[in-house]
Amino acid sequence: MPLRSKSLAGITALVASLLLGSCGTAGEEVCDSPLVSNLPPSSFRSSSQLSSSHGPVYAKVNRREGAGGWSPAISDRYQWLEVDLGRRTQITAAASQGRYGSSDWLTAYLLMFSDTGHNWRQHRQEDSFGAFPGNTNADTVVQYKLQQPVIARYLRLIPLDWNPSGRIGLRLEIYGCQYTSDVANFDGGSSVIYRLSVRPSQTVISLKFKTLKNSGTLLHAEGRRSHSLTLVLEKGRLLLYHQQGVSSSSAGQLLVSLGSLLDDQHWHEVKMERLSTHLNLTVDKNTQQVHIPAELSHWDIHRLSLGAVQSPGLQKPILSNRNFHGCLENLLYNDINLINLAKRSNPQVTVLGNVTFSCAEPVSVTVTFTDSQSFLQLPGLTAWSSGSVSIALQFRTWNKEGLLLTFNLLRQQGAAWLFLREARLHLQINKAAADLLELSAGSGLNDGQWHSVELNARQDHLSITVDKDEGATAHIDVPVPLTDGRLFFGGCPESSPECQNPFKVFQGCMRLLTLNNRTVDLIKVQQRLLGSYSHLQIDMCGIIDRCSPSHCEHGGKCTQSWSTFHCNCSNSGYRGATCHSSSYEQSCEAYKHKGNTSGHYYIDVDGSGPIKPLLVYCNMTDRAWMVIQHNNTELTRLHSSPETHQYSAHFDYASEEEQLAAIISQSEHCEQELSYFCRKSRLLNTPEGVPLSWWMGGPGPGQVQTYWAGALPASRQCACSLQDNCLDSNHFCNCDADSDQWTNDSGLLTHKETLPVRSLILGDIQRPGSEAAYEVGPLRCHGDKNFWNAASFDKETSYLHFPTFHGELNADISFLFKTTSSSGVFLENLGIKDFIRIELSSSFEVLFSFDVGNGPLAVRVLTSVPLNDNRWHSVRAERNVKEASLCVDELPFAAQEAPSDGHIHLQLNSQLFIGGTASRQKGFLGCIRSLQLNGVTLDLEERARITPGVRPGCPGHCSSYDSLCQNQGRCEERANGFSCDCSGSAYTGAFCHKELSASFMSTTSLAYILKEPSEVSRNSSALPSSVYSETTLRGENFSLSFRTGQAPALLLYVTSLSREYLVLLINKHGELELRYKLHSSREAEVFASSVMNLADGRLHTVAVRRLADIVSIQVDQNARENFNLTTDVEFNSIKSIILGRVYESEELDAELNTLASLGFTGCLSAVRFNSVSPLKAALLHHDSPVTITGPLVQSSCASSSSANPYAAETTHSLSDQPASVDPGQPLVNAIRSDSALIGGVIAVVIFATVSALAIMTRFICSKKGTYRNQEVKAAQPDDGHEFPFSSQPDSQRAPSENQKEYFI
């Protein structure tokens, strides 16, 4: 580097360091010089001293003068040692040492700081309630570095604990360096205006301020485009507003609100930085990002007003007539020190009013009532017994209730209490032998703001006033004998006969206590020269806003009291003390494996992460399909239009972009139906032409896709090309043949990276005669890669390790496990002192333990059943700043509260161990599945593939989920999960839970013909899978449900080749009868149930069991009735099972013959005879041996409501959901809001009905006979010019009522 360049760089660095120094920073300079050792004796003060040789002047580290340090006269927590550093100084560390040659030292202490020697502020570390660790002996120096430097002139040390074998003894040192700054004082009527001369390359404004006023304008920035930003202090919070137009009457748009309790006369740092599309506002290291209006992205400031809005054109200032009253320090605009410019009378700066360049510090002594033992006692005035009385004070609190003041009336005639109740001020006077007198005024007095209270009494008049507001004054004209005795503020001393408090104590701050317009000297109170007190902090206000910043997540509303805060999670979709954990499952797959059936559910894809819950439809079939609708799923027809060269359609999904992306990413498979129907309308113009049509798909706005459904991405082909069956073999799509007959290219898009379909552009619809139609189905996904991600641990010494878990303030951990071992560690992560661990401590206990610096804590859940039963069990653990909780399976959760003031950050640094520990002790044997930390799934399978002793996956799910298969359904294992085999059940559906029912007419007959066997199992203890004609039954197990108004009516008829039969019927009295004829030469035996009136049109269920000669019948939930057969016990050569009308009944007697000819009119459902389900076979299995005569209509007649989830008309939003709704409950009334769907369904029903009538007529006219299992299908017209395609929904897209009819 040339010498001139080096010199220039050196000068630049020097100027920069000087500028930084003038702004109150020390750059890279080390700031750790000792500050106490050279101070004069006048710089030290203390609350008391044991003797002159124990004075505070001797409290210097490593000095032995006097008694070798400071010791107060009394060792209690009201003692303090104060050091005056002579000027505001940057303090970076503190050190303590015991008194030389003694057993006197501190073990814990607090540090307080002040600029004036009053209005002290307790120093709180970011992760601590403020207590510093002290010494373990009298000689060792223990130094503690502050996490953030403090700027102050005065320091006060308050002992908390000391050596129990000694007393308070202290020598101390403070470390830091010089601090310089530029300060300006605004008196509420003054301001500073700065005019910019050049266009800045950036906009960064930083400053410090302090004030006692809770409202005022800090700065106002105007631009050249009639836009302005105003930063105001309102009720102790900083608000940033945007205004547009100099003549606007609007008060502006609030962009962001930040901070709280900023009117405490302490310095607060503010930084505002404008970036391209957003703005960062920082208050005391709490930063909030806000997106700014687009017009501000290239907006330039040309004028800055400080302390007030100095812009005559603005008609409506943000805060009318409220200028800033307080001090500003180091106000920088893009590194330009504006206060320094004002001090030097720079021409760009105009000073209006009385602005001084030193900070005026008003002295206001405040007292803090900290806990239930706090009180302040003051003597009354003797003049009160005969004249007027006036008591005034100011207070601030978060509590709704608390005693402000109490005193006894004159001559013990009663007592008076001034207190808060429901955040209103009440005055209650209880006079002896008189009615209770009560006044109330004000409201919302627990908002943390300062409120003034005045109590005035004279002669026969008594009044209370809140905030000097005439509207908040209550008075009464009665004589009240007031007191000349003592006054008690905040509470009462223990066991005091003079003071009784029937209310809660006051926790908060008070100041400006006045008795008959004379201010009480609270410093004298502190020095024990006036009154008495206990558990008070004098000359400081210790109020803390626990809701700023808020620990409530996901939109939870924060409220607080003096010692804690509460999060209201209503309508947020989240739960827990901080609204951290999601109330919903992460996929339809998870809902299915909790036993939930098809319906609308909220899913939360990332659990406790930032993505909001989404309402989807879960279609539970053999797979759990997640259906996400968009705004146009109906078939849309297009006609030729010479003016239109392209037609475009856009699809808006009922979800946010990040929700869609997360669903597609975590699903195993996604698909979307895409159909194009065409007549003289080409599609992709294959094989070599420019595509005439395309679609946009994929993340964000999507990318151009030039392939069609069923083909491969970027192939420019349709499904017919891969199947080699295109209409014209010279083209890759049917529509590209340009035929004048209707054809189509349809199929499923299954490549997840191109989903969902965002828009569709169709380009060949302008030619004469061109016609087309398109249909884009909803996005459908199934499978959850996270839910089944599992690992099997085969050795106690094996484990998986992952990067350190970062859950400093909120940590939620969830997983499933199964094991046969009685103990083992599921998870462990260590720090230097902190740790977090979840383990199976015994066969009946799960233990969640952790330490965040306050000492180890543990939460445990005890179960009544063993957890090592090789079945899946769920564990959910959460730790936040309020509490720790643990939940196992569906048991009530256990919780333990965190300390209200303590360490809150969980600081870990080791690897995260799964299935073991760093010491390889107490390892876990078994399977862990779906492990999620703060909503992020750990890929156990990927790590297990490369780890010895651990295998990916975990087989064997039916041991846990077999109970979900209902109604004789059988659980079948899958690699990822299970399925229910319903072949042996009369029911269908994902869990064999869906009843199959049909409406019968009087002419309807359904006969299930029993086949001849090729082989009969001889040694089977269970009922056979089929019933054969040569089988002899010694018992039956059959059931059905019915709904009818017919009596008598035949329900079930079982015939045999040996002229034996079984009949289930309703007799003419509406009673159930079971008739057995098991011997051809004997009369049938009749068993009648005592349940009456079964032909009442309601749904009834009948279950019959026979074992040899014992027969039992149960109707609905009535008691089971037992009967005995007397003729025979063998039912030989069964031939058929008949439902409805019986056309051939030779073996029946005359009475039953007549009944059989009447048939059955009504509904039959869930018919099962041993292992045969005749009604299910007729409706679902076309190849089954069923003969149907007459109309048989599948319906939902056995259900109280339609099973169609889209049939209801009410849409529930998150805010509509009541808090009491079980998150696992399907929202059966929630549907898509698009009205086109309803119209489409109506059209489909009409079309299907007309088609059914046409087919029925055609079949009746063309052929006679019995036809079985013929499902109605829509015929396509022969005329190719008519549009032959309907908008019938895909059977997999959403469940619907598939009505089937069978005709003779």
Side-chain angles (χ1 to χ4, degrees):
M1 180 184 289
L3 181 62
R4 175 175 293 182
S5 299
K6 291 184 178 180
S7 301
L8 182 59
I11 295 172
T12 303
L14 177 62
V15 172
S17 65
L18 290 173
L19 285 173
L20 288 172
S22 69
C23 298
T25 63
E28 298 297 326
E29 179 185 349
V30 177
C31 184
D32 60 359
S33 301
L35 304 175
V36 173
S37 56
N38 295 321
L39 290 176
S42 59
S43 298
F44 297 87
R45 295 176 60 233
S46 66
S47 54
S48 65
Q49 59 189 42
L50 185 61
S51 69
S52 58
S53 60
H54 292 79
V57 69
Y58 301 114
K60 297 182 180 180
V61 163
N62 293 326
R63 302 287 282 271
R64 304 182 181 181
E65 292 87 355
W70 167 70
S71 286
I74 302 173
S75 291
D76 61 23
R77 292 190 174 189
Y78 298 107
Q79 308 303 320
W80 47 265
L81 173 69
E82 183 181 307
V83 179
D84 179 4
L85 299 176
R87 58 181 297 170
R88 292 181 68 211
T89 304
Q90 181 168 311
I91 302 169
T92 59
S96 65
Q97 188 181 26
R99 193 167 61 83
Y100 174 73
S102 72
S103 58
D104 304 339
W105 63 81
L106 302 181
T107 58
Y109 59 91
L110 298 178
L111 286 181
M112 319 284 282
F113 296 98
S114 171
D115 285 349
T116 62
H118 292 287
N119 190 30
W120 295 91
R121 184 171 196 170
Q122 179 181 334
H123 180 73
R124 293 176 178 267
Q125 300 284 58
E126 289 184 0
D127 191 34
S128 171
F129 62 94
F132 289 83
N135 303 86
T136 57
N137 56 54
D139 299 324
T140 305
V141 177
V142 176
Q143 181 175 331
Y144 202 93
K145 187 173 183 179
L146 306 184
Q147 292 180 355
Q148 297 293 334
V150 174
I151 311 299
R153 173 178 173 177
Y154 295 90
L155 175 144
R156 182 174 282 187
L157 185 149
I158 299 177
L160 287 180
D161 289 298
W162 47 91
N163 179 21
S165 302
R167 58 188 309 124
I168 294 175
L170 176 66
R171 289 175 285 176
L172 87 159
E173 182 59 86
I174 305 299
Y175 302 90
C177 58
Q178 184 179 352
Y179 177 81
T180 57
S181 63
D182 292 301
V183 180
N185 187 82
F186 296 80
D187 63 359
S190 53
S191 61
V192 173
I193 301 174
Y194 171 65
R195 297 173 181 84
L196 280 73
S197 57
V198 295
R199 178 179 178 178
S201 59
Q202 60 178 348
T203 301
V204 180
I205 302 174
S206 62
L207 59 92
K208 290 184 177 181
F209 75 92
K210 70 188 306 185
T211 182
L212 277 175
K213 303 292 184 181
N214 69 352
S215 297
T217 301
L218 278 176
L219 63 88
H220 176 75
E222 297 178 50
R224 293 185 173 88
R225 298 181 182 178
S226 301
H227 293 279
S228 65
L229 291 175
T230 307
L231 187 64
V232 302
L233 185 69
E234 188 170 355
K235 291 189 176 182
R237 296 178 62 85
L238 270 185
L239 281 66
L240 181 65
Y241 286 92
H242 166 237
Q243 280 183 303
Q244 181 177 3
V246 295
S247 60
S248 172
S249 60
S250 170
Q253 174 192 1
L254 177 63
L255 297 181
V256 64
S257 173
L258 202 59
S260 178
L261 307 175
L262 302 178
D263 55 341
D264 56 0
Q265 194 60 16
H266 292 292
W267 288 109
H268 297 282
E269 297 184 41
V270 180
K271 184 177 182 180
M272 185 169 63
E273 182 177 14
R274 191 195 71 186
L275 304 176
S276 58
T277 59
H278 63 275
L279 180 146
N280 289 339
L281 180 64
T282 303
V283 178
D284 294 336
K285 298 180 176 57
N286 182 21
T287 301
Q288 190 162 330
Q289 186 180 94
V290 58
H291 288 277
I292 57 178
E295 55 267 25
L296 290 181
S297 58
H298 301 289
W299 172 71
D300 301 322
I301 298 176
H302 73 272
R303 176 186 172 112
L304 268 178
S305 302
L306 310 176
V309 177
Q310 298 295 343
S311 180
L314 279 175
Q315 294 184 355
K316 190 176 180 65
I318 301 298
L319 292 179
S320 301
N321 302 320
R322 288 196 183 179
N323 294 352
F324 177 70
H325 192 164
C327 303
L328 298 182
E329 179 183 68
N330 294 341
L331 197 157
L332 304 180
Y333 173 73
N334 293 341
D335 296 328
I336 301 173
N337 191 324
L338 301 188
I339 296 179
N340 186 268
L341 293 181
K343 287 168 67 175
R344 294 188 286 108
S345 302
N346 187 286
Q348 289 180 261
V349 180
T350 302
V351 177
L352 302 177
N354 182 25
V355 176
T356 58
F357 298 102
S358 62
C359 188
E361 297 276 5
V363 176
S364 176
V365 180
T366 306
V367 59
T368 304
F369 296 78
T370 58
D371 55 45
S372 60
Q373 302 179 34
S374 300
F375 75 90
L376 168 62
Q377 175 263 311
L378 294 176
L381 300 180
T382 55
W384 286 0
S385 58
S386 58
S388 63
V389 172
S390 174
I391 304 174
L393 59 89
Q394 291 185 5
F395 72 90
R396 71 190 315 175
T397 184
W398 299 117
N399 291 355
K400 292 183 177 182
E401 300 181 9
L403 177 70
L404 295 176
L405 169 66
T406 181
F407 54 84
N408 288 332
L409 302 183
L410 196 63
R411 293 182 294 277
Q412 302 296 319
Q413 296 185 50
W417 296 279
L418 187 67
F419 60 96
L420 294 175
R421 184 168 63 200
E422 292 301 319
R424 287 177 55 84
L425 183 69
H426 292 258
L427 175 64
Q428 192 177 102
I429 297 179
N430 188 5
K431 294 174 62 178
D435 294 335
L436 188 72
L437 173 65
E438 184 167 338
L439 301 177
S440 64
S443 62
L445 302 179
N446 66 326
D447 57 358
Q449 302 297 310
W450 284 108
H451 296 283
S452 62
V453 176
E454 295 181 11
L455 167 64
N456 292 291
R458 62 180 185 276
Q459 302 274 326
D460 297 337
H461 181 81
L462 180 66
S463 68
I464 53 172
T465 303
V466 178
D467 293 335
K468 299 181 180 180
D469 184 358
E470 291 296 331
T473 298
H475 60 85
I476 192 169
D477 296 325
V478 296
V480 177
L482 292 175
T483 183
D484 57 0
R486 294 187 294 181
L487 308 175
F488 294 89
F489 295 85
C492 293
E494 291 185 3
S495 305
S496 172
E498 188 179 354
C499 179
Q500 302 295 323
N501 179 18
F503 311 102
K504 292 185 177 180
V505 298
F506 174 75
Q507 289 179 292
C509 302
M510 291 188 192
R511 69 181 183 186
L512 300 179
L513 276 68
T514 61
L515 308 179
N516 275 13
N517 299 319
R518 292 170 56 185
T519 302
V520 176
D521 188 345
L522 293 175
I523 298 300
K524 283 188 176 182
V525 173
Q526 184 183 36
Q527 297 170 346
R528 306 286 184 179
L529 301 177
L530 177 66
S532 65
Y533 66 90
S534 177
H535 291 79
L536 298 184
Q537 293 177 335
I538 298 179
D539 209 359
M540 67 171 291
C541 180
I543 190 171
I544 299 173
D545 192 338
R546 301 177 190 273
C547 290
S548 180
S550 174
H551 291 293
C552 302
E553 301 183 61
H554 301 111
K557 304 301 181 184
C558 182
T559 57
Q560 61 185 312
S561 64
W562 180 260
S563 57
T564 188
F565 69 93
H566 172 73
C567 296
N568 183 353
C569 308
S570 300
N571 302 320
S572 69
Y574 295 84
R575 64 176 188 272
T578 59
C579 310
H580 175 75
S581 297
S582 180
S583 301
Y584 309 111
E585 301 296 334
Q586 292 185 247
S587 65
C588 292
E589 186 86 4
Y591 277 117
K592 177 182 177 181
H593 287 80
K594 291 184 69 175
N596 296 99
T597 56
S598 298
H600 282 87
Y601 297 89
Y602 282 103
I603 64 167
D604 198 331
V605 189
D606 66 340
S608 58
I611 300 178
K612 298 177 182 178
L614 171 67
L615 182 64
V616 302
Y617 182 78
C618 293
N619 188 15
M620 308 299 191
T621 60
D622 57 333
R623 305 183 187 276
W625 287 95
M626 191 182 309
V627 183
I628 303 171
Q629 297 288 340
H630 58 74
N631 60 330
N632 183 14
T633 57
E634 302 308 313
L635 187 68
T636 303
R637 189 170 180 180
L638 307 175
H639 297 279
S640 61
S641 174
E643 297 82 10
T644 304
H645 295 287
Q646 282 185 342
Y647 173 86
S648 61
H650 300 277
F651 307 99
D652 298 321
Y653 292 82
S655 60
E656 298 177 0
E657 175 57 34
E658 54 186 5
Q659 293 170 330
L660 269 179
I663 288 172
I664 294 173
S665 174
Q666 82 172 31
S667 297
E668 292 180 352
H669 171 84
C670 289
E671 64 184 36
Q672 197 164 9
E673 184 183 13
L674 178 60
S675 300
Y676 187 65
F677 305 97
C678 54
R679 186 173 71 85
K680 293 191 67 62
S681 177
R682 293 162 294 170
L683 184 59
L684 299 181
N685 198 23
T686 59
E688 297 178 355
V690 177
L692 298 173
S693 302
W694 62 90
W695 54 278
M696 306 288 290
Q703 296 181 342
V704 174
Q705 308 294 337
T706 56
Y707 77 101
W708 210 247
L712 298 176
S715 64
R716 287 194 58 196
Q717 295 182 6
C718 298
C720 68
S721 177
L722 297 182
Q723 299 165 3
D724 199 22
N725 61 356
C726 290
L727 196 63
D728 186 337
S729 60
N730 295 319
H731 297 280
F732 299 153
C733 297
N734 288 324
C735 290
D736 288 348
D738 206 20
S739 170
D740 60 356
Q741 301 292 320
W742 279 105
T743 186
N744 74 92
D745 287 294
S746 304
L748 293 175
L749 301 168
T750 59
H751 298 277
K752 294 201 301 181
E753 63 274 10
T754 64
L755 295 178
V757 178
R758 305 285 183 173
S759 57
L760 186 64
I761 294 88
L762 304 176
D764 191 20
I765 56 172
Q766 75 278 9
R767 293 183 297 155
S770 294
E771 289 187 86
Y774 67 87
E775 184 176 13
V776 178
L779 177 67
R780 303 170 66 247
C781 298
H782 72 73
D784 184 345
K785 294 187 292 185
N786 297 335
F787 188 72
W788 294 110
N789 194 295
S792 301
F793 297 83
D794 299 331
K795 299 179 181 179
E796 287 190 354
T797 56
S798 60
Y799 58 84
L800 300 178
H801 59 85
F802 291 86
T804 305
F805 174 42
H806 296 288
E808 285 79 5
L809 293 176
N810 289 283
D812 76 274
I813 303 169
S814 64
F815 59 91
L816 295 101
F817 76 91
K818 67 174 184 174
T819 183
T820 56
S821 297
S822 60
S823 64
V825 174
F826 298 121
L827 172 149
E828 181 184 82
N829 207 161
L830 306 178
I832 298 176
K833 293 182 179 179
D834 298 359
F835 73 89
I836 188 169
R837 183 184 302 115
I838 305 177
E839 61 186 297
L840 182 68
S841 56
S842 75
S843 302
F844 296 87
E845 183 180 75
V846 175
L847 180 66
F848 173 37
S849 56
F850 61 92
D851 188 353
V852 295
N854 303 314
L857 291 175
V859 186
R860 62 190 74 235
V861 170
L862 287 169
T863 65
S864 58
V865 296
L867 298 172
N868 58 341
D869 56 358
N870 205 29
R871 296 169 65 91
W872 286 113
H873 298 279
S874 65
V875 175
R876 296 196 309 272
E878 180 182 349
R879 179 262 152 191
N880 52 58
V881 298
K882 280 222 38 150
E883 67 177 21
S885 63
L886 177 65
C887 183
V888 177
D889 294 335
E890 300 302 322
L891 296 172
F893 72 89
Q896 181 162 334
E897 289 189 8
S900 58
D901 285 311
H903 297 278
I904 59 175
H905 287 84
L906 177 65
Q907 298 175 342
L908 307 173
N909 55 20
S910 76
Q911 289 183 319
L912 169 66
F913 292 88
I914 306 300
T917 64
S919 61
R920 298 195 176 188
Q921 296 179 356
K922 300 175 66 176
F924 173 74
L925 285 174
C927 298
I928 297 178
R929 194 185 98 212
S930 188
L931 174 60
Q932 296 184 336
L933 284 75
N934 280 351
V936 178
T937 301
L938 299 188
D939 195 341
L940 302 178
E941 295 185 355
E942 179 186 39
R943 192 61 59 94
R945 291 188 181 97
I946 59 174
T947 305
V950 186
R951 291 179 291 110
C954 184
H957 303 295
C958 279
S959 61
S960 301
Y961 298 118
D962 58 346
S963 61
L964 296 180
C965 297
Q966 307 168 30
N967 303 304
Q968 294 84 41
R970 185 169 56 86
C971 182
E972 290 188 337
E973 291 286 348
R974 286 187 172 181
N976 286 341
F978 76 100
S979 64
C980 293
D981 179 6
C982 304
S983 60
S985 170
Y987 292 72
T988 186
F991 306 112
C992 309
H993 64 286
K994 201 178 287 185
E995 284 190 87
L996 282 169
S997 53
S999 297
F1000 281 69
M1001 306 294 286
S1002 61
T1003 58
T1004 304
S1005 175
L1006 187 159
Y1008 187 99
I1009 310 301
L1010 299 169
K1011 294 182 179 180
E1012 293 288 339
S1014 60
E1015 182 179 347
V1016 179
S1017 175
R1018 298 180 179 178
N1019 301 314
S1020 176
S1021 58
L1023 289 173
S1025 60
S1026 298
V1027 182
Y1028 303 106
S1029 59
E1030 64 183 45
T1031 301
T1032 297
L1033 297 181
R1034 295 181 59 85
E1036 300 84 38
N1037 187 349
F1038 61 95
S1039 59
L1040 58 83
S1041 297
F1042 66 91
R1043 185 199 302 269
T1044 186
Q1046 176 185 346
L1050 184 66
L1051 298 175
L1052 176 73
Y1053 175 39
V1054 183
T1055 69
S1056 80
L1057 297 174
S1058 57
R1059 304 181 65 83
E1060 299 172 358
Y1061 63 81
L1062 179 159
V1063 174
L1064 185 68
L1065 59 88
I1066 301 174
N1067 63 25
K1068 61 183 179 180
H1069 304 294
E1071 300 166 343
L1072 186 75
E1073 284 187 12
L1074 175 63
R1075 299 191 182 186
Y1076 269 105
K1077 184 175 182 180
L1078 300 184
H1079 198 288
S1080 58
S1081 62
R1082 296 186 183 181
E1083 294 295 324
E1085 295 189 62
V1086 180
F1087 307 114
S1089 171
S1090 60
V1091 181
M1092 309 288 289
N1093 195 23
L1094 295 179
D1096 56 358
R1098 298 180 180 180
L1099 187 68
H1100 298 283
T1101 300
V1102 178
V1104 177
R1105 292 181 184 177
R1106 180 180 74 88
L1107 184 60
D1109 61 340
I1110 300 175
V1111 180
S1112 67
I1113 302 174
Q1114 184 176 17
V1115 179
D1116 297 331
Q1117 300 300 318
N1118 297 290
R1120 186 176 294 275
E1121 301 173 86
N1122 295 318
F1123 306 91
N1124 290 97
L1125 278 171
T1126 60
T1127 56
D1128 200 349
V1129 295
E1130 293 184 348
F1131 195 0
N1132 299 301
S1133 304
I1134 298 175
K1135 183 173 94 173
S1136 62
I1137 304 169
I1138 300 175
L1139 305 176
R1141 187 168 183 175
V1142 181
Y1143 285 94
E1144 296 179 2
S1145 53
E1146 297 176 359
E1147 64 268 23
L1148 296 181
D1149 57 32
E1151 178 191 358
L1152 286 180
N1153 236 328
T1154 304
L1155 180 59
S1157 64
L1158 294 177
F1160 174 78
T1161 302
C1163 172
L1164 286 179
S1165 171
V1167 182
R1168 188 172 187 269
F1169 185 87
N1170 288 350
S1171 61
V1172 174
S1173 303
L1175 184 59
K1176 177 181 178 181
L1179 296 177
L1180 298 184
H1181 304 303
H1182 298 171
D1183 57 348
S1184 59
V1186 178
T1187 300
I1188 301 172
T1189 305
L1192 177 68
V1193 182
Q1194 181 178 342
S1195 68
S1196 58
C1197 57
S1199 303
S1200 58
S1201 60
S1202 173
N1204 186 354
Y1206 293 144
E1209 299 294 332
T1210 305
T1211 300
H1212 290 260
S1213 67
L1214 258 178
S1215 59
D1216 296 332
Q1217 252 193 282
S1220 60
V1221 172
D1222 180 359
Q1225 181 77 16
L1227 305 180
V1228 295
N1229 291 328
I1231 76 158
R1232 302 176 299 175
S1233 60
D1234 52 324
S1235 60
L1237 175 65
I1238 300 172
V1241 172
I1242 295 173
V1244 171
V1245 173
I1246 294 174
F1247 179 78
T1249 303
V1250 173
S1251 301
L1253 291 174
I1255 294 174
M1256 181 178 68
T1257 304
R1258 177 179 176 183
F1259 272 67
I1260 290 175
C1261 294
S1262 62
K1263 186 182 289 187
K1264 292 183 179 180
T1266 301
Y1267 291 85
R1268 15 182 332 273
N1269 298 349
Q1270 298 295 319
E1271 184 172 358
V1272 178
K1273 296 181 180 179
Q1276 296 183 2
D1278 294 333
D1279 187 358
H1281 295 280
E1282 294 297 325
F1283 183 62
F1285 306 104
S1286 69
S1287 178
Q1288 287 186 333
D1290 186 340
S1291 62
Q1292 288 184 321
R1293 184 182 313 162
S1296 61
E1297 282 300 315
N1298 292 323
Q1299 290 196 352
K1300 303 177 182 179
E1301 292 200 17
Y1302 307 88
F1303 303 96
I1304 182 169

